[in-house]
């Protein structure tokens, strides 16, 4: 006989305010019936059953003492569980439920297991146990109730008749039914409110995910992921790390910007940045920033695959960008842009300071150091379509990438001249067995990487090349005639 059951800081602040505003409209979660109220209701129902039973002379007169006990026990239990050392017990509700199961069984034994009153009392105990503790608590409660009922039945003896008069049976059923209905009502209301709250929380979660994905457009995916997964705090802090730093810009872009309308120039630049960003992310680069037509990318933070692999990934990305630029240039020609736009790139590897720079209310995740200046200088010295790397980078990639010695340069911040190298290509793509081929003329551009072509695509490409060759031969024959 027991009761029923109980930035990104600015962006995150905006998100918090949004969620707080939504929380004001959140459905109120109705708490379960308090233990004290439920216990008072259950034991009052039991007291009514005893009183009616004594009045109809089904129970013995001394059973009236059980009425006093039933009316006093809820207050005693509340005092024990809230005002004594027992309040610190983590499982006080389950323990008090076991006591209620013993009392319920004792009552059943004292009245001699008269059928309907005993069944109603047992039903209230089992209903409470099932709601509060689930199947396990219900089984334990049933065992406790059964043992205490047998014990008191052995002391008092069974009743002369297991049948009870009409009024005693009726009041027993009504009292137990009223308790069960009130408890079920509280449980239903709580479950309904919880479902509404769950729906509200799901909607807020979807809104926060959508907002976080919008915010991710302003950060490199690696940085955004480390922040929103809790791996990195949004605070002013830096650390020293050995990174591979990449700079690139477009040769001839300044002259082009004077010839094109701003809208067309913006479209071209966004197309270029979008293509190069896809290449950078494919190789795991952290995109630092876009400045004019320049791109700054670094490898080795927030995640690193080791210095050698980071440097190799950075140079591999640069080679892929150079190849991708040929495709983009051909597309621009088809759009009427005839200026021969070329990309030039510089890469250096060394220790830099990386982290959040700025103020508490406005931070920028970036890197500083002489290696950054060196990469920028290499990019400015590179010829169109050329990739220049520092000696440190060359030493890490020379076994897999062919480079050419370009001499030495003097760079501010370095005590002695810096050896630099030009990236030629992957060693695997050198010689007759290379997988990559490229050819470019006005009106024609070919970019072929046989390792990336599937069998189905191979037939389509062969057909297109044969058609193109046949057309060129036919036009050449016509020109001769």
């Amino acid at each position: 006989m027991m009761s029923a059951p109980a930035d990104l800081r600015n962006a995150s602040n905006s998100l918090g305010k949004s969620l707080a505003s939504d929380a004001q409209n959140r459905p109120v979660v109705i708490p379960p019936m308090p233990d004290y109220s439920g216990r008072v209701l259950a034991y009052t129902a039991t007291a009514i059953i005893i009183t009616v039973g004594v009045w109809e002379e089904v129970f013995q007169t001394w059973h009236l003492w059980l009425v006093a006990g039933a009316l006093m026990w809820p207050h005693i239990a509340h005092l024990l569980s809230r005002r004594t050392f027992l309040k610190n017990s983590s499982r006080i509700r389950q323990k008090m439920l076991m006591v209620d199961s013993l009392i319920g069984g004792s009552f059943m034994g004292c009245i001699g297991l008269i059928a309907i009153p005993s069944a109603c009392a047992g039903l209230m105990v089992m209903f409470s146990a099932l709601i509060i503790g689930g199947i396990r608590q219900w089984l334990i409660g049933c065992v406790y109730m059964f043992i205490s009922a047998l014990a008191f039945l052995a002391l008092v003896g069974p009743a002369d008749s297991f049948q009870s008069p009409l009024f005693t049976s009726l009041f027993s059923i009504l009292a137990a039914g009223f308790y069960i209905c009130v408890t079920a009502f509280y449980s239903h209301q709580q479950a309904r409110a919880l479902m509404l709250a769950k729906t509200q929380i799901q909607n807020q979660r979807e809104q926060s995910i959508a907002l976080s994905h919008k915010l991710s457009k302003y950060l490199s995916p690696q940085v955004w992921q480390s922040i929103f997964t809790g791996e990195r705090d949004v605070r002013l802090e830096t650390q020293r790390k050995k990174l591979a730093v990449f700079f690139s810009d477009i040769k001839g872009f300044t002259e082009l910007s004077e010839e094109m309308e701003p809208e067309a120039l913006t479209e071209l630049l966004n197309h270029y940045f979008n293509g190069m960003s896809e290449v950078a992310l494919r190789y795991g680069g952290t995109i630092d920033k876009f400045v004019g037509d320049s791109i700054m990318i670094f490898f080795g933070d927030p995640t690193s695959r080791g210095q050698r692999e980071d440097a190799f990934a950075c140079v591999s990305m640069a080679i892929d960008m150079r190849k991708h630029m040929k495709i983009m240039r051909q597309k621009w020609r088809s759009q009427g842009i005839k200026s021969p736009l070329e990309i030039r790139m510089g890469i250096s590897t060394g220790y830099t300071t990386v982290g959040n720079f700025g103020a508490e209310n406005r931070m920028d995740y970036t890197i500083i150091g002489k290696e950054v200046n060196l990469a920028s200088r290499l990019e400015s010295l590179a010829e169109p379509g050329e990739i220049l790397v520092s000696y440190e980078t060359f030493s890490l990639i020379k076994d897999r990438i062919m480079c050419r010695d370009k001499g030495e340069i003097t760079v501010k911040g370095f005590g002695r001249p810096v050896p630099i190298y030009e990236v030629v290509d992957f060693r695997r793509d050198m010689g007759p067995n290379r997988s990559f081929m490229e050819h470019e003329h006005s009106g024609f551009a070919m970019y072929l990487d046989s390792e990336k072509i599937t069998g189905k695509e191979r037939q389509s490409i062969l057909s297109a090349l044969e058609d193109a060759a046949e057309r060129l031969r036919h036009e050449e024959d016509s020109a001769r005639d």
Side-chain angles (χ1 to χ4, degrees):
M1 291 178 288
M2 177 63 180
S3 67
D7 305 15
L8 290 206
R9 181 164 303 193
N10 291 338
S12 60
N13 287 341
S14 300
L15 178 59
K17 291 178 182 179
S18 175
L19 294 180
S21 175
D22 292 338
Q24 295 177 356
N25 301 322
R26 188 178 302 168
V28 178
V29 177
I30 300 177
M33 183 189 298
D35 292 351
Y36 174 70
S37 301
R39 191 171 278 112
V40 168
L41 180 62
Y43 280 91
T44 300
T46 305
I48 292 174
I49 295 173
I50 297 173
T51 302
V52 174
V54 172
W55 177 66
E56 285 202 305
E57 297 182 352
V58 180
F59 304 151
Q60 301 179 26
T61 305
W62 67 270
H63 285 157
L64 289 175
W65 289 101
L66 299 179
V67 175
L71 296 177
M72 292 177 60
W73 170 245
H75 310 290
I76 296 173
H78 180 71
L79 180 64
L80 291 175
S81 60
R82 292 292 182 270
R83 305 296 174 83
T84 67
F85 67 94
L86 293 176
K87 66 182 180 180
N88 296 323
S89 175
S90 60
R91 305 186 65 182
I92 183 63
R93 299 187 72 204
Q94 285 77 12
K95 294 177 182 177
M96 296 304 296
L97 180 60
M98 294 303 98
V99 175
D100 290 323
S101 299
L102 291 172
I103 293 175
S106 302
F107 167 73
M108 295 164 62
C110 287
I111 63 175
L113 292 181
I114 297 177
I116 293 180
S118 297
C120 291
L123 187 61
M124 287 189 287
V125 172
M126 290 187 291
F127 188 74
S128 298
L130 185 61
I131 292 181
I132 291 177
I135 297 295
R136 181 176 179 275
Q137 201 73 24
W138 175 75
L139 291 173
I140 296 174
C142 289
V143 171
Y144 277 50
M145 184 174 61
F146 180 74
I147 292 174
S148 62
L150 291 181
F152 275 84
L153 184 65
L155 291 175
V156 177
D160 296 335
S161 173
F162 293 111
Q163 301 295 325
S164 58
L166 177 63
F167 279 106
T168 300
S169 300
L170 181 62
F171 272 95
S172 298
I173 295 172
L174 289 176
F178 180 73
Y179 169 77
I180 292 173
C181 288
V182 171
T183 303
F185 172 76
Y186 268 90
S187 298
H188 169 73
Q189 291 294 95
Q190 186 187 21
R192 183 172 177 270
L194 286 174
M195 287 300 298
L196 293 175
K198 181 180 178 181
T199 302
Q200 186 80 17
I201 291 172
Q202 181 64 26
N203 292 336
Q204 293 173 1
R205 179 176 178 272
E206 292 175 356
Q207 292 175 5
S208 64
I209 291 175
L211 178 58
S212 69
H213 281 297
K214 292 179 181 178
L215 293 174
S216 70
K217 303 298 182 181
Y218 294 91
L219 286 173
S220 180
Q222 300 93 328
V223 178
W224 169 83
Q225 184 176 7
S226 65
I227 291 174
F228 278 85
T229 56
E231 298 176 8
R232 184 183 299 273
D233 291 331
V234 183
R235 61 187 180 189
L236 293 173
E237 63 177 4
T238 60
Q239 56 184 322
R240 295 281 290 174
K241 276 191 174 183
K242 193 169 187 179
L243 307 179
V245 186
F246 168 91
F247 271 88
S248 74
D249 75 345
I250 301 176
K251 180 66 175 178
F253 184 80
T254 303
E255 293 77 5
L256 182 65
S257 63
E258 297 174 355
E259 302 173 1
M260 295 182 63
E261 293 295 329
E263 294 79 8
L265 185 66
T266 300
E267 183 180 354
L268 181 146
L269 194 59
N270 288 337
H271 176 252
Y272 165 75
F273 282 148
N274 186 65
M276 295 306 172
S277 297
E278 290 178 357
V279 175
L281 295 177
R282 188 161 62 242
Y283 285 91
T286 300
I287 302 174
D288 187 294
K289 60 174 66 71
F290 303 106
V291 181
D293 61 320
S294 300
I295 306 176
M296 178 180 173
I297 303 170
F298 56 86
F299 288 74
D301 188 82
T303 59
S304 174
R305 290 167 286 183
Q307 299 176 12
R308 187 174 299 276
E309 290 302 320
D310 289 338
F312 178 70
C314 184
V315 178
S316 300
M317 175 197 70
I319 295 174
D320 203 345
M321 284 181 172
R322 182 169 61 185
K323 296 174 181 177
H324 189 66
M325 190 66 177
K326 298 180 183 296
I327 301 174
M328 300 180 75
R329 190 161 53 243
Q330 184 64 24
K331 182 175 181 180
W332 291 337
R333 282 200 186 102
S334 66
Q335 295 174 349
I337 302 173
K338 297 183 179 180
S339 300
L341 297 179
E342 292 275 3
I343 187 174
R344 55 185 184 181
M345 295 163 278
I347 300 171
S348 69
T349 302
Y351 283 95
T352 65
T353 302
V354 57
N356 292 319
F357 294 83
E360 289 291 344
N361 58 356
R362 178 64 176 88
M363 302 178 190
D364 188 17
Y365 190 84
T366 187
I367 58 176
I368 60 173
K370 63 180 184 178
E371 296 297 335
V372 180
N373 299 332
L374 177 57
S376 178
R377 179 69 185 280
L378 292 174
E379 173 262 311
S380 64
L381 292 175
E383 296 295 330
E386 191 175 50
I387 305 170
L388 294 183
V389 300
S390 64
Y391 175 78
E392 183 75 15
T393 306
F394 166 73
S395 64
L396 294 171
I397 64 169
K398 60 183 180 181
D399 56 335
R400 288 185 280 181
I401 295 178
M402 177 67 71
C403 298
R404 182 183 298 117
D405 190 351
K406 294 281 288 185
E408 297 180 340
I409 61 171
T410 302
V411 182
K412 185 178 180 180
F414 290 81
R416 60 184 63 183
V418 178
I420 62 174
Y421 297 82
E422 176 192 355
V423 173
V424 179
D425 207 341
F426 294 104
R427 291 186 179 273
R428 67 173 183 263
D429 290 331
M430 305 293 290
N433 296 323
R434 60 179 180 171
S435 63
F436 173 76
M437 295 178 60
E438 58 181 326
H439 202 72
E440 184 176 11
H441 285 289
S442 179
F444 175 81
M446 182 181 72
Y447 164 75
L448 174 66
D449 191 345
S450 59
E451 289 185 348
K452 298 180 180 179
I453 298 175
T454 64
K456 184 177 180 180
E457 293 171 340
R458 192 180 302 274
Q459 294 300 322
S460 177
I461 293 171
L462 285 172
S463 177
L465 290 175
E466 289 171 358
D467 290 343
E470 183 64 28
R471 180 173 180 178
L472 288 174
R473 292 191 187 99
H474 177 71
E475 291 177 355
E476 186 178 1
D477 293 339
S478 299
R480 289 176 181 177
D481 294 340

